[in-house]
Amino acid sequence: MEKFEHYDVIIVGAGPAGACTAAAISPVRTGKRVLLLEGKKRVGLPMQCGEAIPTYEELLSIFPQAGCPELYDLPSDVYAGTIAGIKFRSPSGRTYVADLKGQMMHRERLDQHLFDRAVAAGVEYRLGERVHTVREHEIETAAGRYSADIVIGADGVYSLVSAATPAFSPNRDICPCALVLAKGDFYSEYIELWFESRFPGGYFWLFPKNRVGEANIGLGMRGPKNVRQLLDRVIAEIRDHYGLEIIGKSGGAVPLGGLKEVVVHRHFALVGDAAGMVFPTNGGGTGLAMMAGKWLGEIIAADQPLSLYERKVNNILRPVLQRSLRTRRQMDFFRKSERAFEALMWLANLRGWRNFIIG
Ligand SMILES: Cc1cc2nc3c(=O)[nH]c(=O)nc-3n(C[C@H](O)[C@H](O)[C@H](O)COP(=O)(O)OP(=O)(O)OC[C@H]3O[C@@H](n4cnc5c(N)ncnc54)[C@H](O)[C@@H]3O)c2cc1C
């Protein structure tokens, strides 16, 4: 019988959560043997993201204990533009402007950069090796059999590591999304979110990458409608206005059901989308995945118990994400009536948009 190759830590998934966890364990410094297993042949591709993240200052204003400035120290070619604010379009077509600062990214370059950081920190990796079985300390792919003292599920919204352990709940309220990448007259510093009633339980987004004259345009919504068909229809409506030319298509799914109740069980830990670390109000999770990955990696590097990671998640992330979930549920309720949602947006404009967009 072929022997399992043994590691101190195996991380399943080389997205932002897995790569940041791996880099923070830093095998070159700690001497730990870490393996990163990724199902895709090329990290970050296909790109499945709206590519907008808050600035580090905005992240700090939400999580004062974030403690990860170096994660935002990225090569300039990762940045695709600046975000000066958000334009919200209400069901009646009224536009409101909110002052929330962010950055547009080239997400595939961000993922590649975070992965390169992990490799430079001494992490071993296998690309194109999808994990199909997780049994206690043992992990199998089509190409290899491995075992580890600690197993990390950084494997996204449909996490296999999470599913292998009954202590973890599955992600709930998963929102399907479709997106296109387009060239055109996309030089605005404002990203747009349209909350029209034809997009039930979700929104249409138009995120200009103003450094390069491109945009990430997409639709996420819950309900019986075909997301791709409806997105194509909206794109046809705006095509001439922007001189829009499609250069790529993609899609994905966002877990909007909130942070999982349990993110650590014995030698297992979940991070990023696998743990439900996404703002239920807006579907953003990249910054959270990077931040929590760093916390988890540092705790493992210092030989501290995984329960410390869970405590940190519960102290810092949980209150904010719980508030965000409550706000999202209120929004769902108000969206049953176009007039009620119109009034909610009017109120958000009066009181400030932070609660509407973050929770
Ligand atoms: C359409 C869309 C738009 C979005 N827009 C934004 C946005 O604008 N801003 C924002 O902040 N967030 C956005 N998000 C959310 C954001 O993309 C995620 O929160 C973020 O990618 C989470 O990082 P992660 O590392 O946890 O998961 P992922 O980035 O999903 O990485 C998981 C990795 O695990 C790998 N994997 C999965 N299963 C296995 C397996 N069995 N074996 C081996 N490898 C496996 C996958 O191939 C993948 O590389 C969006 C998401 C979608 C789908």
Side-chain angles (χ1 to χ4, degrees):
M1 182 87 172
E2 184 197 349
K3 244 184 100 222
F4 284 85
E5 196 175 345
H6 189 77
Y7 289 84
D8 295 306
V9 185
I10 290 181
I11 301 167
V12 183
C20 291
T21 306
I25 300 173
S26 187
V28 286
R29 198 167 41 79
T30 58
K32 292 190 186 299
R33 238 190 131 197
V34 179
L35 178 64
L36 191 51
L37 287 169
E38 170 54 52
K40 294 176 181 172
K41 289 204 172 86
R42 278 194 61 192
V43 168
L45 288 175
M47 197 287 291
Q48 297 173 289
C49 184
E51 305 180 273
I53 60 166
T55 59
Y56 187 61
E57 290 69 32
E58 288 285 0
L59 191 77
L60 266 186
S61 74
I62 307 165
F63 305 106
Q65 309 107 304
C68 56
E70 77 285 2
L71 293 182
Y72 273 69
D73 182 16
L74 301 165
S76 68
D77 72 343
V78 169
Y79 292 110
T82 50
I83 300 170
I86 306 178
K87 284 186 180 168
F88 293 100
R89 185 188 284 197
S90 76
S92 71
R94 184 176 292 191
T95 299
Y96 297 102
V97 181
D99 177 30
L100 279 166
K101 303 275 181 287
Q103 314 266 10
M104 284 303 295
M105 320 292 283
H106 291 291
R107 174 64 197 266
E108 76 288 358
R109 294 186 199 167
L110 173 69
D111 284 17
Q112 184 63 50
H113 172 76
L114 298 175
F115 175 75
D116 290 345
R117 264 189 197 168
V119 173
V123 170
E124 294 172 53
Y125 63 89
R126 308 264 191 285
L127 298 181
E129 259 196 65
R130 191 161 198 84
V131 171
H132 59 67
T133 307
V134 177
R135 209 180 297 111
E136 288 299 327
H137 291 270
E138 298 166 4
I139 287 185
E140 284 184 53
T141 71
R145 290 150 64 89
Y146 311 95
S147 65
D149 296 335
I150 294 175
V151 177
I152 308 294
D155 47 346
V157 57
Y158 300 112
S159 171
L160 186 89
V161 176
S162 175
T165 314
F168 298 130
S169 53
N171 272 316
R172 295 195 182 89
D173 210 347
I174 294 173
C175 178
C177 304
L179 69 86
V180 302
L181 296 173
K183 275 186 193 303
D185 184 14
F186 296 114
Y187 294 97
S188 167
E189 286 206 314
Y190 288 85
I191 61 172
E192 296 189 25
L193 302 180
W194 298 8
F195 287 86
E196 296 180 11
S197 41
R198 61 177 163 162
F199 314 135
Y203 59 76
F204 167 84
W205 74 81
L206 192 160
F207 294 173
K209 294 173 152 181
N210 49 42
R211 254 172 90 168
V212 289
E214 293 176 10
N216 183 310
I217 305 171
L219 177 62
M221 60 181 195
R222 291 164 294 150
K225 289 193 197 171
N226 182 315
V227 186
R228 171 63 61 188
Q229 269 175 12
L230 187 51
L231 177 63
D232 287 347
R233 224 173 298 150
V234 184
I235 285 175
E237 290 166 18
I238 63 172
R239 186 182 296 272
D240 290 346
H241 180 77
Y242 291 103
L244 182 156
E245 180 199 336
I246 292 175
I247 54 174
K249 282 190 179 190
S250 167
V254 185
L256 296 182
L259 183 63
K260 292 185 179 178
E261 295 77 23
V262 174
V263 298
V264 169
H265 180 64
R266 296 190 284 114
H267 60 288
F268 292 104
L270 303 179
V271 63
D273 279 14
M277 291 174 178
V278 168
F279 286 103
T281 42
N282 63 56
T286 311
L288 302 183
M290 290 162 66
M291 178 169 77
K294 187 193 168 207
W295 298 342
L296 176 57
E298 284 178 347
I299 283 164
I300 294 171
D303 288 318
Q304 291 172 321
L306 291 177
S307 56
L308 215 64
Y309 164 68
E310 180 141 63
R311 202 178 310 156
K312 199 156 182 173
V313 168
N314 284 338
N315 287 341
I316 303 176
L317 282 187
R318 193 171 297 284
V320 175
L321 293 186
Q322 236 158 18
R323 218 166 45 235
S324 184
L325 184 60
R326 269 200 306 274
T327 304
R328 220 283 325 291
R329 286 183 174 148
Q330 276 166 10
M331 285 162 81
D332 286 347
F333 180 76
F334 278 92
R335 286 192 83 171
K336 289 181 185 155
S337 145
E338 202 165 289
R339 282 182 61 189
F341 197 69
E342 199 69 41
L344 185 75
M345 292 187 81
W346 179 82
L347 213 62
N349 192 48
L350 209 66
R351 292 187 177 159
W353 286 95
R354 192 156 286 267
N355 183 255
F356 186 89
I357 196 68
I358 292 160

